[in-house]
Amino acid sequence: MAPQAAARSNDLILQKSRISGPTKRALFRSKKYPGLWYAETQISDDDNSKPDPNPYTWDIPPRKINLSNARPTYKKGAMTSAKYATKGHLYAKQMDYLRYYRELFGQPYWIKDIMTREIANCEVLRKNPHPNICRYAGVNYGMDQGITALLFRRYDTTLWDLIVESRVFDAEKCIQGIRKGIQHIHSLGYVHCDIKPPNIFVDTRTQSFVVGDFDSMQKQGAGLKYKCGTDGWALDKAGKSGYMVNVEQDWFGFDMVSAWVREKGNGKPVPGKEYAKTDDILARAKRAYEVKRQAEKLRKQTEDLKKKAEKVRRQEEVKRSVKEKADAVRKVQAARKVLVTEKAKIIPKAEALEKIEAAKKAVGVKPTYANVVAKRDPEPTKKPQVPKKLRVQPPS
């Protein structure tokens, strides 16, 4: 019997449903066949009216989802397996098919791509753990090797629920934990792209706050693809065509979350007190962010001008130093030239006399007596004198 025929025999079991406005959407499983079926129907505003429990009477009867187009395949080596992990302490994140119901039929490849991207992101974070990042355990998959869920450490609650339930917590530790988690993601070259209270998980016993939900996380400088944050918590320009992934997205979300925490009691809610609405808080926080951003822009421009002025000053100083050195070299060279000229004028006397005698000889002038004597006996000595008493008179 074909799977569709089995479904017509009304063996479908409701797995999950959601009402959005006048429409009810649901996922079903078969008692006999693997897979998922999707169906939807319009419901009346009358509270007493309920859709027929048989989904084959609905406006859009059950259709089987081609899961091979909607979920990635497990790849050993590239993905961490948590198939046999103890599921009690783990949270299983599954693709929300009811949210993306429009993409379930035809070519919903981008749904698969979102899950594939999140797995790749989680593998990077698993290799680079941080106490303020949600701990990833691996993936779970079925007999067909199709990935059914991503498994994470189970936390007690989210920051959103913590505040909505007016519970007491350490607000300063919360803000610092979110900041450190964001900084760690940025240090790896990525941007989270969806910082908001529902994505901040809490261990109430240790007051630990971690950043989670990584299906929007992308590399810095890449073009935004598939998801670009949540309205109110994300930059407006991030949704525009051509915007590149930037760390500014996370810091904007961080400022929104910080303002929301402060204005919702700052971790110490007063019973019975009414706090500002989230939309109003975000509107004020956005204006404050723009003021801070303009101030930061002006500060950066001022710093750039100072750097340029300092650069010009250094260049002028280098030019002046070079000119001074060149002038000093020229002065030294001129002094050496003068010295050489003066030395050239001072000719040794002996050398000059020899040149003069050589010139006289060349023109036929007899050498002077002094010169003759000097040549014959360079150092003449006096003739020894005999005492008069010893002198012998010659015979007459």
Side-chain angles (χ1 to χ4, degrees):
M1 185 181 294
Q4 197 69 12
R8 287 188 179 283
S9 66
N10 200 23
D11 72 334
L12 292 183
I13 302 171
L14 179 65
Q15 294 293 303
K16 190 176 182 180
S17 66
R18 183 177 299 161
I19 295 176
S20 177
T23 305
K24 179 176 181 177
R25 301 182 178 88
L27 293 174
F28 299 87
R29 286 193 180 276
S30 171
K31 296 177 183 178
K32 298 180 180 179
Y33 300 97
L36 284 174
W37 279 259
Y38 170 82
E40 68 177 56
T41 189
Q42 299 297 307
I43 56 177
S44 173
D45 294 336
D46 185 1
D47 294 339
N48 296 324
S49 65
K50 294 181 180 180
D52 191 325
N54 181 4
Y56 277 92
T57 65
W58 290 10
D59 298 318
I60 298 179
R63 288 186 291 172
K64 189 175 183 181
I65 302 170
N66 185 351
L67 292 176
S68 64
N69 287 344
R71 65 187 188 187
T73 302
Y74 170 69
K75 294 181 180 179
K76 187 176 181 180
M79 301 176 181
T80 301
S81 171
K83 183 174 177 61
Y84 302 105
T86 302
K87 304 301 189 295
H89 67 286
L90 297 177
Y91 167 74
K93 180 182 179 181
Q94 299 175 319
M95 176 59 70
D96 189 354
Y97 294 120
L98 292 180
R99 179 182 178 184
Y100 301 112
Y101 66 93
R102 290 189 180 90
E103 286 76 32
L104 288 176
F105 303 97
Q107 293 184 343
Y109 299 114
W110 72 273
I111 298 179
K112 178 193 290 186
D113 292 342
I114 286 178
M115 184 177 281
T116 301
R117 180 174 71 187
E118 184 170 15
I119 293 170
N121 292 338
C122 289
E123 292 294 337
V124 172
L125 295 173
R126 186 174 182 273
K127 294 175 183 176
N128 301 274
H130 190 275
N132 296 111
I133 295 295
C134 182
R135 193 176 301 169
Y136 167 71
V139 297
N140 192 18
Y141 49 92
M143 297 293 292
D144 61 351
Q145 303 294 296
I147 293 174
T148 57
L150 279 68
L151 301 175
F152 298 88
R153 174 189 167 183
R154 184 182 294 277
Y155 292 85
D156 300 322
T157 186
T158 66
L159 179 59
W160 177 271
D161 292 334
L162 204 64
I163 288 182
V164 169
E165 296 169 4
S166 298
R167 298 170 67 178
V168 176
F169 65 95
D170 189 335
E172 183 60 27
K173 191 173 182 181
C174 169
I175 298 303
Q176 292 305 319
I178 298 171
R179 184 196 303 275
K180 290 176 182 178
I182 291 173
Q183 289 173 338
H184 179 67
I185 292 174
H186 292 177
S187 71
L188 300 175
Y190 288 82
V191 178
H192 185 277
C193 297
D194 197 15
I195 298 295
K196 60 183 180 180
N199 288 343
I200 308 302
F201 302 108
V202 186
D203 184 330
T204 55
R205 184 181 63 83
T206 61
Q207 288 288 284
S208 298
F209 298 82
V210 302
V211 178
D213 198 347
F214 307 108
D215 57 0
S216 296
M217 182 173 141
Q218 299 176 60
K219 288 186 176 181
Q220 296 179 22
L224 277 175
K225 195 173 183 181
Y226 305 131
K227 301 184 73 175
C228 54
T230 304
D231 289 343
W233 306 95
L235 283 168
D236 294 335
K237 62 183 179 181
K240 296 181 180 179
S241 177
Y243 183 81
M244 309 302 284
V245 176
N246 193 296
V247 296
E248 183 188 6
Q249 292 174 262
D250 288 352
W251 294 125
F252 177 86
F254 173 78
D255 279 9
M256 299 302 105
V257 172
S258 301
W260 187 74
V261 169
R262 286 194 300 270
E263 294 201 38
K264 286 292 188 179
N266 203 31
K268 298 177 181 179
V270 178
K273 181 177 180 179
E274 291 187 4
Y275 293 97
K277 294 181 180 180
T278 296
D279 289 343
D280 295 337
I281 294 173
L282 295 181
R284 284 192 293 273
K286 184 178 179 181
R287 289 194 294 270
Y289 177 84
E290 291 299 331
V291 171
K292 184 178 77 171
R293 185 168 174 271
Q294 290 298 327
E296 182 68 19
K297 186 177 180 181
L298 181 61
R299 185 189 65 78
K300 190 175 183 303
Q301 289 176 345
T302 303
E303 287 183 355
D304 289 342
L305 289 174
K306 287 182 179 179
K307 288 179 181 178
K308 288 180 180 179
E310 180 65 17
K311 185 177 180 180
V312 170
R313 186 190 67 77
R314 289 180 180 177
Q315 288 176 344
E316 292 297 328
E317 187 176 324
V318 170
K319 289 180 180 179
R320 184 168 60 254
S321 176
V322 171
K323 185 175 181 301
E324 290 175 356
K325 289 181 180 180
D327 291 342
V329 169
R330 282 194 293 270
K331 289 179 180 179
V332 171
Q333 290 176 342
R336 286 179 178 175
K337 188 175 181 181
V338 170
L339 182 61
V340 170
T341 303
E342 293 298 325
K343 285 183 177 180
K345 292 178 180 179
I346 302 173
I347 302 174
K349 186 175 181 180
E351 185 179 346
L353 291 174
E354 288 183 3
K355 288 184 178 181
I356 292 171
E357 292 300 328
K360 288 180 178 181
K361 186 176 181 181
V363 296
V365 178
K366 291 183 179 181
T368 61
Y369 175 77
N371 290 337
V372 173
V373 173
K375 288 182 179 180
R376 183 175 65 245
D377 188 2
E379 296 182 359
T381 57
K382 292 183 178 181
K383 189 173 181 180
Q385 297 293 327
V386 180
K388 290 182 177 182
K389 292 181 178 182
L390 298 178
R391 291 176 182 175
V392 178
Q393 293 294 329
S396 54

